[in-house]
């Protein structure tokens, strides 16, 4: 049996820190409200001359270093993002060229908003376990600040920029145990960015073309849905809640994370939490959190990790990994 094993992790956060105090100057909000309702204290914002590709390349290079591999060793790149550099080439192709990954490797983006990394991980796992690739870079990279309406207090306090990456390698030893993906396209009006190439460019200017969310309604669906996917994942593997060593959740809101941890009966000490410093970095949030907890020594080889995400689409998914 061939597994996809996590060989290395990497991440990158832009230098610029935006605090809640700064947001108090932009919209009618308060540091207290943001901390209490979301758990967020600060977030990072890309520099004017940085793009999704730039963040992804640094995170991917760090993951390759951690894995002890070279770009030339990689034969698959899958990148989750909803803020790509271009319509095409895909950001994955731009990363391939930038890093010097073999011409001829497979490279493409997946679009599943905040679930983009879990979707990318699922596809990479399928490539590796069926012999379609040996070594994969799986990346989540986002420049959310570019699609935020900085006059909307309901959304602008939530998001941040960053990138995270995993290197997966085919191995006889256990690695990714299962992945679970779902979508429901019927709730588009609750969370969307209402413009796209095929609709023309009229809506691009001003706040009309920026991210829209009916936060409270999304919150309720997210809590319900993530509770269900936790059960689905454990049942599929015949495992108990107590078998999970670490929950690595999508970092949208500390209250959503707490609800999922409660559902698992997991103390918050076993939940990787980066939402306070990173905000919601969409597809980048899980690999960013993963890398933080590997590098600070919390996550150790052999431990059982449950990753889960929920986002625009709606899309949601999970992965169970023996690290
Ligand atoms: O990652 C993709 C998935 N996204 C999510 O999972 C996000 C889900 N949603 C959330 O995290 C939360 O719903 C929010 C943090 C967005 C909002 O928290 P909430 O507890 O659901 O607040 P609410 O939307 O029910 O609003 C409560 C009050 C309202 O005022 P009134 O009508 O009670 O007077 C809002 O206008 O809070 C007000 N409010 C704010 N006040 C200060 C909304 N945003 C702010 C703000 N500062 N930034």
């Amino acid at each position: 049996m061939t597994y996809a094993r996590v060989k290395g992790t990497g991440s990158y956060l832009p230098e610029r820190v935006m605090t809640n105090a700064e947001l108090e100057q932009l919209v009618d909000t308060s540091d207290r409200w943001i901390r209490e309702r979301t758990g967020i204290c600060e977030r990072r914002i890309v520099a004017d001359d940085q793009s999704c590709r730039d963040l992804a390349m640094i995170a991917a290079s760090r993951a390759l270093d951690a894995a002890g591999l070279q770009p030339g060793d990689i034969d698959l790149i899958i990148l989750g993002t909803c803020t790509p550099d271009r319509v095409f080439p895909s950001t994955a192709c731009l990363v391939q060229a930038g890093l010097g990954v073999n011409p001829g490797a497979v490279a493409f983006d997946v679009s599943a908003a905040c679930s983009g990394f879990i979707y990318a991980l699922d596809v990479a796992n399928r490539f590796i376990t069926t012999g379609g690739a040996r070594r994969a870079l799986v990346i989540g990279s986002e420049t959310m600040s570019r699609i935020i309406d900085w006059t909307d207090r309901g959304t602008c306090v939530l998001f941040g920029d960053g990138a995270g990456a995993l290197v997966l390698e085919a191995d006889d030893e256990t690695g990714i145990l299962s992945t679970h993906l779902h979508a429901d396209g019927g709730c588009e009006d609750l969370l969307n960015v209402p413009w796209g190439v095929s609709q023309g460019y009229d809506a691009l200017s001003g706040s009309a073309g920026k991210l829209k969310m009916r936060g409270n309604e999304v919150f309720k669906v997210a809590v319900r849905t993530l509770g269900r996917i936790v059960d689905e994942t454990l049942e599929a593997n015949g495992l108990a809640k107590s078998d999970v060593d670490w929950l690595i959740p999508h970092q949208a809101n500390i209250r959503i994370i707490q609800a999922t941890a409660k559902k698992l009966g997991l103390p918050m000490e076993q939940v990787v939490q980066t939402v306070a410093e990173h905000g919601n970095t969409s597809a980048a949030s899980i690999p960013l959190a993963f890398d933080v907890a590997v590098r600070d020594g919390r996550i150790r080889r052999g431990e059982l990790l449950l990753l889960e995400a929920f986002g625009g689409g709606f899309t949601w998914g999970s992965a169970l990994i023996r690290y």
Side-chain angles (χ1 to χ4, degrees), residues 44-179:
R44 301 297 183 100
I45 304 292
V46 280
D48 289 346
D49 61 355
Q50 276 182 317
S51 71
C52 182
R53 166 198 24 201
D54 300 325
L55 313 191
M57 277 183 42
I58 301 172
S61 295
R62 290 176 178 172
L64 283 168
D65 285 348
L69 294 172
Q70 303 297 319
D73 296 322
I74 295 296
D75 51 12
L76 170 67
I77 304 173
I78 310 182
L79 188 147
T81 190
C82 59
T83 52
D85 281 43
R86 309 225 159 113
V87 174
F88 67 83
S90 68
T91 311
C93 283
L94 300 178
V95 169
Q96 177 190 18
L99 288 180
V101 170
N102 306 321
V106 179
F108 58 94
D109 291 355
V110 298
S111 167
C114 295
S115 311
F117 180 78
I118 296 290
Y119 267 65
L121 194 66
D122 173 283
V123 180
N125 185 43
R126 290 174 200 271
F127 264 88
I128 288 178
T129 55
T130 56
R134 269 203 69 71
R135 294 196 189 95
L137 263 173
V138 187
I139 307 169
S141 184
E142 299 280 18
T143 54
M144 296 304 286
S145 59
R146 302 259 156 84
I147 54 166
I148 292 305
D149 174 0
W150 292 102
T151 66
D152 175 13
R153 71 174 182 171
T155 53
C156 75
V157 302
L158 303 175
F159 293 91
D161 301 330
L166 300 187
V167 174
L168 300 181
E169 187 173 55
D171 204 313
D172 298 337
E173 260 191 85
T174 168
I176 297 178
L177 298 176
S178 72
T179 51

Side-chain angles (χ1 to χ4, degrees), residues 104-306:
V106 179
F108 58 94
D109 291 355
V110 298
S111 167
C114 295
S115 311
F117 180 78
I118 296 290
Y119 267 65
L121 194 66
D122 173 283
V123 180
N125 185 43
R126 290 174 200 271
F127 264 88
I128 288 178
T129 55
T130 56
R134 269 203 69 71
R135 294 196 189 95
L137 263 173
V138 187
I139 307 169
S141 184
E142 299 280 18
T143 54
M144 296 304 286
S145 59
R146 302 259 156 84
I147 54 166
I148 292 305
D149 174 0
W150 292 102
T151 66
D152 175 13
R153 71 174 182 171
T155 53
C156 75
V157 302
L158 303 175
F159 293 91
D161 301 330
L166 300 187
V167 174
L168 300 181
E169 187 173 55
D171 204 313
D172 298 337
E173 260 191 85
T174 168
I176 297 178
L177 298 176
S178 72
T179 51
H180 307 263
L181 300 185
H182 299 284
D184 176 0
C187 304
E188 184 205 339
D189 54 327
L190 298 188
L191 176 54
N192 63 59
V193 178
W195 64 268
V197 182
S198 72
Q199 292 181 326
Y201 290 92
D202 292 350
L204 267 171
S205 60
S207 63
K210 303 295 186 186
L211 186 147
K212 314 272 178 250
M213 178 164 70
R214 286 169 28 202
N216 191 266
E217 288 161 80
V218 175
F219 184 97
K220 288 176 194 151
V221 185
V223 169
R224 242 190 352 257
T225 308
L226 290 171
R228 277 207 310 270
I229 202 151
V230 161
D231 287 341
E232 177 189 335
T233 310
L234 292 174
E235 272 168 37
N237 290 279
L239 291 168
K241 292 172 180 175
S242 55
D243 292 320
V244 175
D245 293 304
W246 290 101
L247 174 67
I248 312 180
H250 170 51
Q251 310 280 325
N253 185 318
I254 193 66
R255 293 183 293 136
I256 298 176
I257 296 172
Q258 284 162 344
T260 312
K262 193 171 166 201
K263 169 90 190 171
L264 271 169
L266 211 59
M268 287 305 278
E269 293 72 38
Q270 282 170 257
V271 180
V272 183
Q273 303 167 58
T274 53
V275 68
E277 302 84 29
H278 301 176
N280 180 348
T281 57
S282 184
S285 90
I286 290 176
L288 259 163
F290 198 147
D291 185 49
V292 166
V294 165
R295 283 176 194 264
D296 69 20
R298 271 179 290 169
I299 293 180
R300 291 158 194 252
R301 286 287 171 196
E303 290 184 323
L304 191 67
L305 319 178
L306 176 55

Side-chain angles (χ1 to χ4, degrees), residues 16-28:
R16 164 139 160 63
V17 176
M18 182 183 256
T19 61
N20 291 346
E22 249 184 277
L23 285 159
E24 287 175 348
Q25 308 304 312
L26 289 181
V27 288
D28 180 16

